[in-house]
Amino acid sequence: MNRTGLLNKLWEFQNKFGYISENAIAQIAQKLNVSKIEIEGVVSFYHFFHRRPTGKYIIYLNNSIISEFKGFQQIKAAFEKETGCTFGCYDENPLFSLFETSCIGLSDQEPAALINFFPFTNLTAEKVKTIIQQLKNGNSLRFISSNPTSKIQYLPPEDKTIFYRKYEMGITLKKLKNHTPDEILNLISAANLEGRGGAFFPTAKKWKSSKDSVSTKKYIICNADEGEPGTFKDKSLLNNLSGLVIEGMIIAAYISGATTGFIYLRAEYLHLLEKIENTLREFQVNNLLGNDILGIPKFNFNIQIQIGAGAYVCGEESALIESLEGKRGEARIKKYFPTEYGYLGYSTIVNNVETFAMAARIIELGTHFISTIGTKESKGTKVLSICGDVAKPGIYEIEWGMTMKEILHLCQATSPHFIQISGPSGICINETEFDRKICKEDLICGGSIMVFNNFRSITKILENYTAFFKEESCGVCTPCRAGNQILHEKIKKIKKGICTIEDLAEIKEWGKIIKLTSRCGLGQFSANTLVMALDKFEGYFNQKIIKTNENLNVEFDMEAAVYNYDSLIKDTQPPNP
């Protein structure tokens, strides 16, 4: 057994037995010739691997902020009532186990849950009752689950639409036959394509680095671990245009000389697996994958799918590579770029779903077409996932340069007040900034916009964010691990009305520490929104602070303090006649 197959082996045990036992860990450790502790470390890192027996149906209910505002608590109570189980507890129920999880890519259809990774959306208490009864009756999950397709709410005029135009398999790849790898790379460079996962690193520069590498093996990885709460645009591209994404990977392989590719698909998107596998088979049948692709001598490239196991940090490229290698998904120290030292020590290109799709369209449509769309620094279009307090949540392909005011009008936002750009690790904006433009020159956006109206509690939003980062920190960096815990406690003080101006100052100070000293970008930007909100919503927080520092470090809970005494007195009293 190869270490790189560890995640798949763990999934085998998890799916077959409902958990990963001591015996399973011992077997794997022996085959890999590593300690049991090392295997346990990998198992414990991922949310979807369990060390204790679970029921036949494992239910994961999304607890992100959109879900909270759409009825999370009522749905949670309904699941507990109908199953007789408690969330987070390993009950001895042979049928059901209940767990909360962070964003599952269904923020436009909340409240939502996964049952054995089949999606169930727009849940109500009545729906939950029906679902649980159907499962008790032995109905198949495949037939009772929801269709999780996100609605495409807006496209630019036809002459400016790039992503969601008609797709014909192989039309882009056929152009490779008449161009050298250098010529194709120059087209990507001329279009100024930058990574669409949030870092916006120049794609041509990354691909050239791998092309020029003397590495004896090269790899292409599509990062489909879209874990940022409120984001689901990559899911839509994989669902509607998986072939386009695959063609982008093949183009990257043609340029760099890579022979093997991976699609690292988050477990929350398992419902897309069959569709992607079918697309890969079509490509192989049509000689678009395999050996001598399209008759081009020695152009050999194959793609396999790796299922993640639930870890937000694996969205960071080096953490993703560690996970692919069968390790804990912890970010590497930034000594080398992946194109220098990546998967198994070889040159590796890692890009996200949208980047590969855009690369394919650039080759298909030409750089002149792309250059006529967008702004000076941001060419083409951007795919956005929009959710929250809007009448039309879903997918929007916009031309770079569109203002927030125009976007809010398109999605029919109701009383927009607090807008979250690029997920919790991104930035927030207030009502004075609605004339800002989505583009590199002004308001850069990785792909998610969450809209909150003026009836929503900003404290609750930020509490949800900090709880998310506290839970998702991989724990390697002390500032991220401890800092987010401290920030969460500060938010709780704001919520309880015992926050001082010194607390707000400490939040900003901890935000700086986390940003400067965390190893990966996910940690570095975890406090971004919280720190930014203190300034952009200063009036709100001024109303939350109190003017004294005395006796505020510890909150005294009178009810908890006298609970045992009251219970004892109650038990000693004779019953009422």
Side-chain angles (χ1 to χ4, degrees):
M1 177 182 171
N2 192 300
R3 179 68 184 257
T4 58
L6 179 56
L7 253 62
N8 290 338
K9 194 65 179 177
L10 292 173
W11 271 118
E12 283 182 28
F13 282 106
Q14 177 63 49
N15 291 332
K16 185 175 182 179
F17 301 105
Y19 75 115
I20 299 168
S21 66
E22 287 288 341
N23 185 49
I25 287 176
Q27 287 182 42
I28 294 170
Q30 186 175 19
K31 287 182 179 179
L32 291 178
N33 196 28
V34 298
S35 70
K36 288 170 56 179
I37 296 297
E38 188 167 346
I39 303 302
E40 287 174 355
V42 174
V43 173
S44 64
F45 186 83
Y46 298 96
H47 297 322
F48 298 134
F49 291 149
H50 297 274
R51 291 299 317 281
R52 296 170 62 183
T54 57
K56 180 180 179 181
Y57 301 108
I58 305 177
I59 300 172
Y60 294 103
L61 179 62
N62 177 23
N63 62 8
S64 68
I65 188 60
I66 300 297
S67 179
E68 274 205 47
F69 287 145
K70 297 292 183 179
F72 166 79
Q73 291 297 339
Q74 294 93 319
I75 302 307
K76 180 179 179 180
F79 271 119
E80 291 187 331
K81 177 184 176 183
E82 300 303 328
T83 63
C85 300
T86 303
F87 270 85
C89 295
Y90 288 89
D91 305 295
E92 294 185 3
N93 189 314
L95 270 185
F96 301 104
S97 292
L98 306 178
F99 301 97
E100 294 182 27
T101 191
S102 55
C103 187
I104 55 178
L106 297 168
S107 296
D108 55 333
Q109 302 166 65
E110 296 291 358
L114 298 172
I115 304 181
N116 290 3
F117 297 100
F118 284 89
F120 290 81
T121 61
N122 297 307
L123 293 171
T124 63
E126 191 59 36
K127 275 189 179 181
V128 169
K129 182 177 181 179
T130 301
I131 291 165
I132 297 303
Q133 190 57 54
Q134 287 176 318
L135 294 177
K136 288 178 178 178
N137 292 340
N139 291 44
S140 169
L141 279 167
R142 182 177 293 275
F143 296 115
I144 67 173
S145 61
S146 305
N147 177 1
T149 301
S150 294
K151 187 173 183 179
I152 299 170
Q153 297 283 13
Y154 173 80
L155 297 178
E158 190 174 345
D159 61 344
K160 290 189 174 183
T161 297
I162 293 176
F163 291 95
Y164 289 96
R165 59 170 50 231
K166 184 180 179 182
Y167 166 72
E168 294 181 33
M169 186 177 68
I171 191 171
T172 298
L173 298 181
K174 289 175 183 176
K175 297 193 175 187
L176 301 183
K177 299 174 70 173
N178 301 317
H179 294 84
T180 66
D182 280 324
E183 289 172 339
I184 296 296
L185 179 63
N186 288 337
L187 292 174
I188 299 296
S189 179
N192 293 322
L193 177 60
E194 295 177 330
R196 298 296 183 90
F200 294 94
F201 188 86
T203 303
K205 185 176 181 180
K206 180 184 289 189
W207 292 9
K208 185 178 188 303
S209 175
S210 181
K211 180 181 183 298
D212 294 343
S213 170
V214 296
S215 180
T216 55
K217 292 181 182 178
K218 296 178 183 180
Y219 296 93
I220 308 295
I221 299 175
C222 176
N223 183 348
D225 194 50
E226 182 180 49
E228 190 74 32
T231 312
F232 48 92
K233 50 98 176 175
D234 287 349
K235 183 198 70 174
S236 176
L237 287 169
L238 287 169
N239 191 37
N240 294 287
L241 295 163
S242 58
L244 189 67
V245 178
I246 291 166
E247 292 197 31
M249 295 178 69
I250 296 170
I251 291 167
Y254 182 69
I255 290 171
S256 66
T259 56
T260 302
F262 296 94
I263 298 174
Y264 188 97
L265 185 69
R266 66 190 307 230
E268 293 90 336
Y269 291 173
L270 261 171
H271 51 87
L272 297 177
L273 178 61
E274 185 177 346
K275 177 175 286 189
I276 299 171
E277 287 178 332
N278 289 339
T279 304
L280 288 173
R281 277 192 286 270
E282 280 189 69
F283 270 68
Q284 289 164 344
V285 168
N286 288 279
N287 191 219
L288 301 176
L289 280 174
N291 295 330
D292 298 329
I293 293 172
L294 289 172
I296 302 173
K298 297 182 180 180
F299 180 24
N300 308 327
F301 185 63
N302 283 292
I303 296 173
Q304 53 189 287
I305 301 172
Q306 175 62 61
I307 303 300
Y312 168 73
V313 71
C314 286
E316 196 275 341
E317 60 182 6
S318 67
L320 185 154
I321 290 171
E322 289 286 298
S323 182
L324 265 178
E325 292 181 352
K327 303 171 186 174
R328 292 166 62 89
E330 296 170 344
R332 294 175 175 176
I333 295 172
K334 297 295 184 285
K335 185 177 181 180
Y336 301 103
F337 286 112
T339 52
E340 299 170 302
Y341 188 91
Y343 179 66
L344 301 177
Y346 297 105
S347 178
T348 305
I349 289 172
V350 184
N351 280 113
N352 98 313
V353 169
E354 187 182 346
T355 310
F356 283 121
M358 185 64 184
R361 287 300 197 199
I362 288 170
I363 303 306
E364 175 192 347
L365 302 172
T367 56
H368 175 72
F369 178 85
I370 302 297
S371 68
T372 62
I373 304 169
T375 67
K376 183 178 179 181
E377 297 293 326
S378 302
K379 298 298 182 184
T381 61
K382 182 78 184 84
V383 181
L384 300 177
S385 45
I386 300 179
C387 59
D389 294 316
V390 298
K392 298 173 70 175
I395 296 297
Y396 291 71
E397 181 180 346
I398 67 158
E399 182 177 2
W400 286 111
M402 183 177 282
T403 66
M404 271 307 306
K405 185 178 291 184
E406 292 173 297
I407 292 170
L408 293 171
H409 175 74
L410 286 173
C411 66
Q412 297 180 15
T414 54
S415 304
H417 180 62
F418 184 107
I419 312 298
Q420 188 66 45
I421 309 292
S422 300
S425 65
I427 65 172
C428 60
I429 63 172
N430 59 30
E431 296 171 57
T432 67
E433 301 176 272
F434 290 175
D435 286 324
R436 294 183 67 181
K437 297 179 179 180
I438 300 292
C439 59
K440 189 176 180 180
E441 298 95 315
D442 187 6
L443 193 60
I444 199 68
C445 177
S448 164
I449 295 178
M450 292 189 283
V451 180
F452 302 102
N453 64 34
N454 53 14
F455 300 105
R456 303 301 189 189
S457 165
I458 294 176
T459 304
K460 190 170 185 178
I461 295 169
L462 298 175
E463 182 183 24
N464 184 282
Y465 290 176
T466 54
F468 169 76
F469 288 118
K470 183 182 74 169
E471 175 67 24
E472 292 295 336
S473 172
C474 74
V476 168
C477 306
T478 301
C480 177
R481 181 182 69 247
N484 279 298
Q485 171 68 39
I486 291 168
L487 291 179
H488 191 234
E489 293 302 316
K490 294 291 186 185
I491 288 290
K492 284 160 65 173
K493 288 186 73 174
I494 296 173
K495 184 179 178 182
K496 293 173 181 176
I498 56 173
C499 174
T500 68
I501 194 167
E502 283 75 15
D503 286 314
L504 299 187
E506 287 178 16
I507 287 174
K508 292 183 178 182
E509 192 59 35
W510 270 107
K512 289 179 184 177
I513 293 170
I514 293 170
K515 190 168 188 175
L516 290 172
T517 57
S518 293
R519 180 181 293 184
C520 76
L522 302 183
Q524 291 164 7
F525 295 105
S526 59
N528 232 30
T529 295
L530 174 55
V531 172
M532 196 173 288
L534 297 183
D535 293 326
K536 294 195 174 186
F537 297 89
E538 185 178 7
Y540 174 87
F541 287 101
N542 283 340
Q543 294 176 351
K544 297 291 182 180
I545 61 175
I546 53 179
K547 307 302 180 184
T548 178
N549 290 328
E550 295 180 9
N551 301 320
L552 294 176
N553 288 326
V554 179
E555 180 188 18
F556 183 72
D557 189 333
M558 176 64 78
E559 186 176 337
V562 301
Y563 177 79
N564 289 336
Y565 175 79
D566 286 345
S567 298
L568 181 63
I569 295 299
K570 183 179 179 181
D571 291 342
T572 60
Q573 299 301 310
N576 292 326

